[in-house]
Amino acid sequence: MATRWGICAAGLISHDFTVALKSLPPEDHQVVAVAARSLERAQEFAQKHKIPRAYGSYEELANDPEIDVVYVGTIHPKHRPVSLLFMNTKKNVLCEKPLAMNLREVQEMVAAAKVNNVFFMEAVWTRFFPASLEISRLLAQGEVGEVKMVRADFGVSIAHIPRSVEKELGGGALLDIGIYCLQFVLMVFNGEKPECIQATGICLDAGVDEAMVVTLKFSRGRMAVCRCTITAELPNDAVISGTKGSIRVPEHMWCPTSLVVNGKETPYPLPEPYLPLNFLNSIGMRYEAEEVRQCLLKGMKESPRMSLADSALLAEIMDEARRQVGVSYSQDCQ
C-alpha cells in the first residue's frame, strides 16, 4: 500500500518536495492533499501537481483521515505550532529544517510526538543522499583512519530574500543554511555532543546573523569548523580529514552528488525532475521521503539516520552559537 502524503504550505520548497515525491514509484508514494493559507493558493498547487484534495486551512488537512504523513514546508517560526497541530490529531510528521526556533521548542515537539505515538523527523535531506550514506559506510570501515578534523562551508548571496533576513520570519545564516554544516559534522561524529562550542559572527541591522563561524571541539582532540554566510559565495564544500586519508564533498555539501575519497572522485547522479525545481538538486528530497516510508512500514517512530536526539543536539548547539553572537528571537523569550 502506498504511503499517503499531505502537503502543508504551497510555497517553493513544498513544490520541490512534491516533485521529488512524484519521482518515486506511485505504488509507494501518493500525494493526496495539500493545504495552504488560502483555498485559492492550495487549489492552484493541487492543479499543478494533480493532487486530489485542496484545503484552505491547515486544520482541514489535520482532520483528513486518509493521510499517513504530513510534510511541513512552512516558514521557520511556524514549524512548531503547525507540527503540533498535526501530531495532536495523530498525524505522522516530516518537518522542514530547522525543526524549531530553539531547543525548548524542539523538546516540546518531541514530547508531543511521544505522547501521540506518531512518527516525527526533521527534514535534513542531506543525511539520506546516496553520497552521505557512503560517507557513513566509509567512516565505519575506517577508510580514513580516525577523523581528526572536519570543515564544512555554506555561503550564498540570499540577503535579498525576506525570509533570510527578517527576524520575524526566522531569518539568519545559521538557522537557514549553517544548520547544514553543523548536521554534517554531527553525522561524521555519530551524534556526539561537543565538549566546547565557540562562535563568532556578524549581525545585520535586523538583528539576525549575516555570517557565522562555529568551532566545535570533541573528545580525543577532534575538531570541526563550520562557516556560513548569506551575503557571499563560499566554496560550499566539506572535508573530513583523518589519520589515514580524507573524504571531500567537492561542491554543494548540503546536497552532495559526488565524493572524493583519498583523491579518487565518484559521482552519485540524481534522477531528472518532471517539473522545474526552485532549489539546487532538490529532487534529492526523494531519499528522505523514502526513509519516512521505510520507517512507517517498520512501525518506527523516528529515523535512526536523523534521530530526534540529533535534532535536539543541533538545536542546542545553535542556541549556544546564537547566544555567543548575540542573536535572539521572540521565541527565546517565551
Side-chain angles (χ1 to χ4, degrees):
M1 181 181 292
T3 299
R4 300 169 299 180
W5 289 85
I7 306 297
C8 172
L12 301 181
I13 192 68
S14 292
H15 166 89
D16 285 13
F17 183 77
T18 303
V19 173
L21 278 175
K22 294 295 184 75
S23 74
L24 294 164
E27 61 269 23
D28 292 343
H29 296 268
Q30 294 179 3
V31 184
V32 299
V34 59
R37 288 171 293 178
S38 74
L39 180 58
E40 181 182 10
R41 188 170 173 83
Q43 288 173 334
E44 180 183 346
F45 190 96
Q47 183 178 10
K48 178 184 291 186
H49 295 283
K50 297 180 172 57
I51 300 172
R53 297 190 293 281
Y55 298 119
S57 72
Y58 300 151
E59 288 78 11
E60 291 175 278
L61 185 64
N63 291 321
D64 187 328
E66 297 181 355
I67 291 174
D68 299 314
V69 56
V70 176
Y71 168 78
V72 174
T74 62
I75 60 172
H76 301 164
K78 297 296 183 182
H79 288 177
R80 171 192 161 274
V82 171
S83 294
L84 290 176
L85 168 68
F86 293 120
M87 288 191 286
N88 288 336
T89 55
K90 310 300 181 182
K91 293 287 190 296
N92 301 301
V93 172
L94 173 64
C95 179
E96 261 306 330
K97 42 59 59 183
L99 200 57
M101 296 300 293
N102 55 38
L103 176 59
R104 180 187 57 78
E105 288 194 342
V106 169
Q107 291 172 332
E108 182 182 1
M109 296 160 78
V110 169
K114 293 180 178 179
V115 166
N116 289 292
N117 195 33
V118 296
F119 175 87
F120 186 40
M121 189 178 91
E122 184 173 15
V124 180
W125 60 318
T126 313
R127 290 275 174 112
F128 306 98
F129 274 67
S132 296
L133 299 179
E134 180 65 4
I135 288 173
S136 294
R137 187 189 71 82
L138 292 169
L139 293 176
Q141 291 184 347
E143 186 70 22
V144 298
E146 182 181 14
V147 175
K148 300 298 291 183
M149 177 73 74
V150 180
R151 176 186 57 76
D153 289 348
F154 195 170
V156 286
S157 297
I158 54 174
H160 60 284
I161 302 174
R163 70 168 184 82
S164 296
V165 296
E166 295 182 15
K167 180 176 283 193
E168 61 271 24
L169 299 181
L174 186 66
L175 286 190
D176 196 22
I177 59 177
I179 185 174
Y180 286 113
C181 302
L182 292 173
Q183 73 78 29
F184 184 87
V185 169
L186 295 182
M187 179 186 74
V188 171
F189 290 131
N190 291 315
E192 180 180 331
K193 185 175 181 177
E195 295 178 342
C196 179
I197 302 167
Q198 292 184 318
T200 186
I202 299 170
C203 293
L204 298 169
D205 291 341
V208 301
D209 51 305
E210 168 193 329
M212 196 178 295
V213 178
V214 182
T215 302
L216 305 173
K217 180 183 176 183
F218 292 85
S219 64
R220 304 196 309 277
R222 298 166 299 153
M223 296 189 70
V225 178
C226 300
R227 304 188 301 171
C228 62
T229 177
I230 55 174
T231 57
E233 298 287 332
L234 294 181
N236 294 335
D237 63 347
V239 180
I240 304 166
S241 300
T243 55
K244 295 181 180 178
S246 67
I247 301 171
R248 179 172 175 246
V249 181
E251 58 181 0
H252 317 316
M253 55 77 54
W254 69 98
C255 51
T257 55
S258 67
L259 292 180
V260 179
V261 181
N262 295 330
K264 181 181 178 180
E265 184 167 5
T266 303
Y268 296 85
L270 299 173
E272 290 296 320
Y274 78 97
L275 285 176
L277 298 168
N278 297 295
F279 302 104
L280 180 70
N281 291 346
S282 55
I283 192 72
M285 289 191 283
R286 69 200 304 268
Y287 302 118
E288 66 179 359
E290 181 59 23
E291 173 72 6
V292 172
R293 172 173 167 78
Q294 292 304 318
C295 288
L296 292 178
L297 289 175
K298 297 171 185 174
M300 301 168 67
K301 302 306 177 185
E302 61 181 296
S303 166
R305 184 74 184 167
M306 185 64 211
S307 70
L308 297 176
D310 290 334
S311 293
L313 181 54
L314 262 178
E316 183 178 353
I317 293 171
M318 290 193 295
D319 279 5
E320 176 59 21
R322 288 194 296 109
R323 185 194 68 77
Q324 292 183 24
V325 174
V327 176
S328 64
Y329 300 96
S330 61
Q331 293 83 358
D332 298 324
C333 304
Q334 297 174 2

